[in-house]
Amino acid sequence: MDSADWDARYADAPELVWTAEPNRFVVEETADLPPGRALDLAAGEGRNAVWLAERGWRVTAVDFSAVAVRRGQDLARERGVDIDWQVADVTTYRPEAGAYDLVLIAYLHLPRPDLATVLRHAATAVRHGGSFVLVAHDLANLTAGTGGPQDPAVLPTPETVVAELPGMQISRAETTRRPVRVRDETVDALDTVVAATRP
């Protein structure tokens, strides 16, 4: 989907497309970090960016959907936090090198060459001692989970993500189960979760 497709998807939804609550794995990996400067790439409607800002982070949130960014701005105003919102395509966006204490990518699904480019730029943006966190629907979700894109070309594994983070110290790289409600039952979604630091 391109930015126009995402604009339409967000515009057609009367409420937030995603919940206003942060992703559980983002919380797990960042709740104990001291606040600093954070970059949320492909931030969507800003649920993780807003949560970080509420905890004292200075957040830059980037997404190519102007509609999503406007929704994120509204959510930030409702929550009383300031975020630097930028409308940009993360495949061509070049963040400042070594400028961020945390770089976050949550549920960005791209063909592997494009994802590799984004991961390299993201890793370069992490300052020494800073953290990187990625959460995505895992490739195994196609056969053993639920939800997410159904195209194997855009679904990562922990190994494919780690391969694009040379020089980073990996603290977590796993496929993790996430319970979700589908109709009247709880089923598992399978997510890739990778956390790393810049030595």
Side-chain angles (χ1 to χ4, degrees):
M1 294 175 70
D2 62 19
S3 60
D5 293 329
W6 278 106
D7 281 344
R9 181 173 181 181
Y10 288 120
D12 287 344
E15 309 265 326
L16 292 174
V17 172
W18 319 115
T19 174
E21 297 306 310
N23 174 266
R24 62 187 297 167
F25 300 121
V26 172
V27 173
E28 283 179 17
E29 294 300 327
T30 65
D32 294 332
L33 296 177
R37 191 175 179 202
L39 175 63
D40 185 356
L41 293 171
E45 296 164 302
R47 62 183 181 139
N48 296 312
V50 168
W51 181 81
L52 288 167
E54 289 176 324
R55 275 142 192 82
W57 289 85
R58 299 182 313 280
V59 183
T60 297
V62 181
D63 200 277
F64 72 172
S65 168
V67 176
V69 166
R70 284 195 297 274
R71 286 191 169 195
Q73 291 169 329
D74 291 343
L75 182 61
R77 275 193 295 272
E78 289 169 15
R79 299 278 188 91
V81 293
D82 291 321
I83 293 173
D84 174 20
W85 298 95
Q86 297 188 24
V87 177
D89 185 336
V90 296
T91 63
T92 56
Y93 179 77
R94 294 296 295 264
E96 182 183 350
Y100 294 93
D101 301 286
L102 170 65
V103 176
L104 169 65
I105 301 173
Y107 300 103
L108 173 65
H109 295 96
L110 297 169
R112 189 165 177 186
D114 291 333
L115 182 61
T117 297
V118 174
L119 290 173
R120 285 194 301 273
H121 293 163
T124 300
V126 179
R127 66 171 41 120
H128 291 291
S131 300
F132 168 86
V133 176
L134 175 139
V135 182
H137 296 287
D138 191 277
L139 179 62
N141 209 47
L142 287 178
T143 55
T146 187
Q150 299 300 295
D151 179 359
V154 301
L155 293 170
T157 65
E159 295 76 17
T160 59
V161 174
V162 169
E164 303 300 341
L165 300 173
M168 299 290 283
Q169 182 175 332
I170 308 300
S171 57
R172 181 179 186 182
E174 62 184 13
T175 300
T176 305
R177 294 188 178 277
R178 174 174 49 90
V180 295
R181 292 290 291 174
V182 176
R183 291 175 285 282
D184 289 324
E185 62 177 331
T186 299
V187 295
D188 286 332
L190 298 178
D191 287 345
T192 288
V193 180
V194 175
T197 55
R198 167 74 63 195

